[in-house]
Amino acid sequence: MIEKPSSVEDVERPADVLVSARERAIVPSAHAKSARSNLAPVKTSALSRVAAMGIWPGKWGPKIPVLWTSFMAIVGIPTLVVVFYFAFLASDQYVAEVRLAVRASAQSGEQKSASASDALSKLAVGGAPQLAGQEAHIVAEYLRSRAAIEDLGRHLDLPAIYRRGESDIWARLKEKPSAEELQKYWSSMIVTSVDGPSGIVTILVRAFRAEDARALAEACVKVSETLVNSLSERARRDALSKAEAEVRRTEGLLREALNKLRQFRDTEGYLDPAAAATSTSQLLLEALAERARLQSDMFVMTRALASNAPTLTALKDRIGSMDQQIGQLRGELTSSSRQSKTVSSALVRFEELELQRIFAEKLHGLAQGGLERARIRAEQQQIYLTMFVPPYLPEEAKYPERLAMSVIIPIMLLVLWSIFALTAAAIEDHLK
């Protein structure tokens, strides 16, 4: 039998028991939370110290401080290296300067007119006249080429000069360089420029000794003068050979025209068809005049004599023979028959051959004149190399520019790092 509760407190007691049991069940979890809350400050403080060291800046795990490291790698360390190199290691480099003028020889009035006619003839056949100052550019380009290095090697030992003890490791020429490496190094040690309007060539040569710089500049002048002389000699030789070839060609044309004219005279039997035509025309005119006189006499006699008179008969015979002679002379001059050889047809052919002969003679005369002018020019030097600023011994080193390079290189590195940093920041913002 179930007992009834005696009071309200007895009724509410089981609920209190349940509440107390529930609290006892919750106590362990509360203690665990409090323990975790006690450990959290320790963990947070440790992470803050790690983040302060720059190893834990985020929540995705440890990572390197990219900006600081990249700045030191791109800007800081290279700047220290550059400043240290230019301050303590970079060797002095001396510069010797030379200024040259490449000019053509003065020409007389006849030679200038001949040159003008040659230029016009080149333009007529589709060529182009030589540009002004071209030799100066040739000299400037030649001094930076491998050919100039080989020519300079006959006067100086370039590898030995650029491996002096005064040179530093960075600027020194490597031991036993190849031809391409030597040309690249030489191109970095020489500067050539050409002033367009005047054609003046400026040469700047660098070396680790002042004496070497001046010796190299003098050697550059020597090889440049040799090059200019060879160019002038080759131009004169080419002009002379072309003039001789033209004379031979025109001589062949003249010989061919004379042979054709000789064959024509042998075939036609006329030394000069024009003279033959003149004499035939003269005979024809005389025959016509004689026939007219005979006809006049016959007209007078027919009034006084009978028609069968012997004198009148003889006069008629003479007029008939004169008509035959006139017809023969006319046939020699002109004829409608293609098979008959006339003076007029021979005269046309003769005039063609004579025109060819005259033209060939004119060409041959012009070619001979050109050959003579080419021979005169070949005996003269057409291109001269004039040095108006000789190489002096430099007293102060012009390179390296220590202060300028110590400032310019760090600025360039800083700009490069800034671009890298901005790009990395833009990518990070895009990924968030």
Side-chain angles (χ1 to χ4, degrees):
M1 185 176 181
I2 302 173
E3 296 180 356
K4 295 182 181 180
S6 59
S7 63
V8 179
E9 295 178 357
D10 294 334
V11 176
E12 297 176 354
R13 188 174 300 167
D16 295 337
V17 173
L18 293 175
V19 170
S20 62
R22 185 179 301 172
E23 289 178 353
R24 287 195 299 271
I26 296 173
V27 167
S29 61
H31 286 293
K33 288 182 179 180
S34 63
R36 286 196 298 269
S37 63
N38 293 330
L39 292 175
V42 177
K43 185 176 181 181
T44 305
S45 61
L47 291 177
S48 63
R49 288 195 299 271
V50 171
M53 296 172 60
I55 303 176
W56 188 297
K59 64 179 181 178
W60 299 105
K63 60 181 179 179
I64 301 172
V66 179
L67 293 178
W68 176 251
T69 305
S70 62
F71 178 82
M72 292 302 298
I74 298 176
V75 181
I77 297 175
T79 299
L80 294 177
V81 172
V82 168
V83 172
F84 179 79
Y85 169 75
F86 282 108
F88 301 102
L89 299 180
S91 58
D92 294 334
Q93 297 180 16
Y94 298 88
V95 178
E97 180 182 2
V98 181
R99 291 178 182 262
L100 309 172
V102 182
R103 60 187 182 88
S105 62
Q107 296 179 346
S108 62
E110 181 181 356
Q111 291 176 345
K112 288 181 180 179
S113 61
S115 301
S117 62
D118 293 341
L120 291 175
S121 62
K122 288 181 181 179
L123 290 175
V125 297
Q130 188 177 9
L131 298 178
Q134 185 178 8
E135 293 82 5
H137 290 279
I138 290 175
V139 171
E141 294 297 328
Y142 161 76
L143 289 175
R144 295 193 297 266
S145 65
R146 183 173 175 179
I149 296 175
E150 295 178 356
D151 295 338
L152 288 171
R154 301 187 183 99
H155 304 278
L156 298 171
D157 189 358
L158 284 180
I161 289 176
Y162 288 110
R163 288 190 57 81
R164 301 289 191 191
E166 296 87 348
S167 60
D168 59 86
I169 300 176
W170 180 264
R172 184 183 305 165
L173 177 65
K174 64 179 294 186
E175 188 176 358
K176 295 180 180 181
S178 63
E180 289 76 13
E181 292 173 343
L182 182 58
Q183 180 182 358
K184 184 178 180 180
Y185 184 86
W186 170 248
S187 298
S188 65
M189 302 300 288
I190 184 173
V191 177
T192 59
S193 60
V194 180
D195 183 58
S198 61
I200 296 175
V201 183
T202 303
I203 305 171
L204 301 175
V205 184
R206 288 192 287 173
F208 302 108
R209 292 181 182 177
E211 297 81 3
D212 292 339
R214 183 175 65 176
L216 284 170
E218 292 175 351
C220 288
V221 173
K222 291 180 181 178
V223 298
S224 299
E225 188 173 3
T226 303
L227 173 67
V228 168
N229 292 335
S230 64
L231 290 176
S232 179
E233 178 65 26
R234 182 176 179 180
R236 295 194 301 267
R237 187 171 58 251
D238 292 344
L240 188 60
S241 61
K242 289 180 180 178
E244 291 175 350
E246 183 66 18
V247 169
R248 289 193 296 269
R249 188 183 71 85
T250 55
E251 186 178 356
L253 293 176
L254 180 59
R255 187 179 295 109
E256 183 180 359
L258 292 175
N259 289 331
K260 289 182 179 179
L261 192 59
R262 180 183 58 81
Q263 293 175 1
F264 168 79
R265 287 169 176 171
D266 294 339
T267 303
E268 299 294 335
Y270 293 112
L271 292 177
D272 189 357
T278 302
S279 61
T280 303
S281 299
Q282 186 67 29
L283 292 175
L284 179 60
L285 291 176
E286 292 178 357
L288 290 174
E290 182 66 20
R291 183 177 180 280
R293 188 182 65 80
L294 293 176
Q295 285 184 345
S296 178
D297 293 341
M298 182 179 177
F299 178 76
V300 173
M301 289 183 181
T302 54
R303 296 301 181 101
L305 299 175
S307 59
N308 56 355
T311 305
L312 190 59
T313 303
L315 188 59
K316 290 181 180 179
D317 293 338
R318 289 182 63 186
I319 292 175
S321 63
M322 190 60 66
D323 291 336
Q324 292 178 1
Q325 184 179 0
I326 291 173
Q328 184 179 358
L329 291 174
R330 287 178 175 175
E332 290 178 0
L333 289 175
T334 58
S335 177
S336 60
S337 177
R338 295 182 179 179
Q339 296 180 355
S340 60
K341 295 181 180 180
T342 60
V343 178
S344 60
S345 60
L347 184 60
V348 172
R349 179 60 180 165
F350 176 78
E351 288 177 350
E352 293 177 357
L353 296 176
E354 184 67 14
L355 183 61
Q356 293 179 5
R357 183 190 66 81
I358 295 173
F359 185 70
E361 285 182 353
K362 294 290 185 182
L363 287 180
H364 186 61
L366 292 175
Q368 285 183 337
L371 177 61
E372 187 64 25
R373 289 192 297 270
R375 185 178 292 109
I376 293 174
R377 288 196 297 265
E379 295 175 355
Q380 300 174 354
Q381 187 175 1
Q382 299 295 319
I383 305 174
Y384 293 90
L385 186 67
T386 304
M387 179 178 60
F388 59 92
V389 177
Y392 294 101
L393 184 67
E395 298 180 357
E396 295 181 358
K398 189 176 181 180
Y399 294 98
E401 299 175 347
R402 304 177 189 274
L403 181 60
M405 299 304 295
S406 299
V407 174
I408 292 175
I409 293 179
I411 291 176
M412 294 176 61
L413 294 176
L414 182 61
V415 171
L416 180 63
W417 175 81
S418 301
I419 295 173
F420 170 77
L422 292 175
T423 305
I427 295 174
E428 185 177 0
D429 292 340
H430 181 73
L431 293 176
K432 285 183 179 180

